[in-house]
Amino acid sequence: GLDDDDDGTNPIGRTPCLCVPEVGLSAVTCFHTLFVASPPDALLKNKYYMILVDDLDEATISAVVRHRGLKEVLGLAVGNGGHLLCKMASRLPLIGMVLISPSSKRASWFEYGTGSLAAMRLSRSGWTRPTLDHFAARLFSPGTRQYMGGDSSLLKALREDLREADPRKVHREYKAVLSRGCVLDGVRERVKCRVLLIVGAQSIYYGESMELAQRLDKSRLSVFEVEQVGTWVNQERVGSLLGVIDGFLV
């Protein structure tokens, strides 16, 4: 399974991997399938150890890096976790980033409008079915959401995980996501490390991910587009990513 190195020690000979999830997901939920699906000889399992970041804010990430005295880290992030890493890149000792469908701009009017309504419902009524469906729509492609009448194992697992999340915490973080700024200005200067940008072709952040790709240094960038999946590529189509991520980490 996927375990954080809770005792705060840094295993000798392995590089820390800072795991930053998309809003609504804990880091364990967000990345568990990727690590379980990775074969025993995968570099991600053998050369890195995971540091799970569950609070989607700059202060938490800075505190983790400072508290552990980290001199180099690999960043692994989905959606707005990627937005945060790109924003903070010049302040973190990044040796590389794997960004999965990252956002990079202000929320569109559609995202802001539908998101604000869902955030209000979440704060008033907790995890009702419309709110669960809203977060599923942010994460998965239409095909996955419609499969088996919306009752596939992927959707059932997501609904269970969301119901265990604290609605107040998710509401607070979602409001911050909906009022996020644009990270494109100066991003080429901030991001000096290698980047593997994986993007779901049906992600709500597809356009933002591709605009980010246009701004980054092409000599240090690899882009991998996955058809017919949404934002959470590492959950929806994990098998297609394993070789790509391992190849990037060589």
Side-chain angles (χ1 to χ4, degrees), residues 16 21-22 24 37 68 87 95 125 147 157 161 204 210 223 235 248:
E22 167 60 326
R68 292 183 177 238
K87 184 179 180 184
I95 56 166
S125 312
Y147 181 65
D161 286 327
I204 59 168
M210 288 312 195
V223 180
Q235 186 76 354
F248 174 74

Side-chain angles (χ1 to χ4, degrees), residues 4 54 57 111 116 125 149 185 189 192 200 206 213 228:
D4 191 5
D54 275 333
D57 65 68
E111 184 188 2
S116 296
S125 312
D185 290 342
E189 289 70 41
K192 297 295 189 187
Y206 177 80
Q228 298 182 319

Side-chain angles (χ1 to χ4, degrees), residues 46-120:
N46 288 294
K47 288 198 170 180
Y48 298 87
Y49 66 95
M50 305 309 132
I51 297 177
L52 308 179
V53 178
D54 275 333
D55 293 316
L56 209 54
D57 65 68
E58 294 179 54
T60 299
I61 293 172
S62 296
V64 166
V65 172
R66 190 172 60 249
H67 169 68
R68 292 183 177 238
L70 302 179
K71 299 291 183 278
E72 53 178 35
V73 295
L74 173 72
L76 172 63
V78 174
N80 288 285
H83 184 283
L84 262 182
L85 288 185
C86 286
K87 184 179 180 184
M88 299 179 68
S90 61
R91 290 174 273 148
L92 297 173
L94 290 162
I95 56 166
M97 291 194 288
V98 178
L99 304 177
I100 300 172
S101 306
S103 63
S104 65
K105 300 171 73 176
R106 293 181 181 277
S108 67
W109 284 110
F110 178 77
E111 184 188 2
Y112 186 83
T114 56
S116 296
L117 183 62
M120 185 177 71

Side-chain angles (χ1 to χ4, degrees), residues 35-218:
F35 290 97
V36 170
S38 296
D41 60 348
L43 293 176
L44 194 57
K45 278 185 173 173
N46 288 294
K47 288 198 170 180
Y48 298 87
Y49 66 95
M50 305 309 132
I51 297 177
L52 308 179
V53 178
D54 275 333
D55 293 316
L56 209 54
D57 65 68
E58 294 179 54
T60 299
I61 293 172
S62 296
V64 166
V65 172
R66 190 172 60 249
H67 169 68
R68 292 183 177 238
L70 302 179
K71 299 291 183 278
E72 53 178 35
V73 295
L74 173 72
L76 172 63
V78 174
N80 288 285
H83 184 283
L84 262 182
L85 288 185
C86 286
K87 184 179 180 184
M88 299 179 68
S90 61
R91 290 174 273 148
L92 297 173
L94 290 162
I95 56 166
M97 291 194 288
V98 178
L99 304 177
I100 300 172
S101 306
S103 63
S104 65
K105 300 171 73 176
R106 293 181 181 277
S108 67
W109 284 110
F110 178 77
E111 184 188 2
Y112 186 83
T114 56
S116 296
L117 183 62
M120 185 177 71
R121 280 198 308 253
L122 183 61
S123 69
R124 289 181 177 177
S125 312
W127 291 109
T128 59
R129 183 59 185 256
T131 306
L132 292 168
D133 289 345
H134 171 81
F135 277 87
R138 287 180 55 85
L139 292 164
F140 289 136
S141 66
T144 291
R145 299 200 312 275
Q146 290 153 13
Y147 181 65
M148 293 179 64
D151 234 15
S152 67
S153 57
L154 272 182
L155 262 83
K156 283 180 177 174
L158 173 63
R159 288 196 286 263
E160 283 178 23
D161 286 327
L162 287 172
R163 285 192 187 106
E164 289 180 10
D166 178 359
R168 292 163 301 182
K169 177 179 182 290
V170 176
H171 173 262
R172 183 178 69 249
E173 292 183 348
Y174 196 17
K175 293 290 279 186
V177 160
L178 294 172
S179 59
R180 68 184 182 272
C182 178
V183 295
L184 294 176
D185 290 342
V187 74
R188 186 187 173 100
E189 289 70 41
R190 286 195 307 278
V191 177
K192 297 295 189 187
C193 62
R194 295 167 62 236
V195 177
L196 171 60
L197 199 155
I198 296 165
V199 58
Q202 294 181 329
S203 168
I204 59 168
Y205 296 134
Y206 177 80
E208 295 187 38
S209 294
M210 288 312 195
E211 282 201 55
L212 176 62
Q214 291 299 317
R215 300 287 186 100
L216 292 171
D217 183 345
K218 302 292 184 294

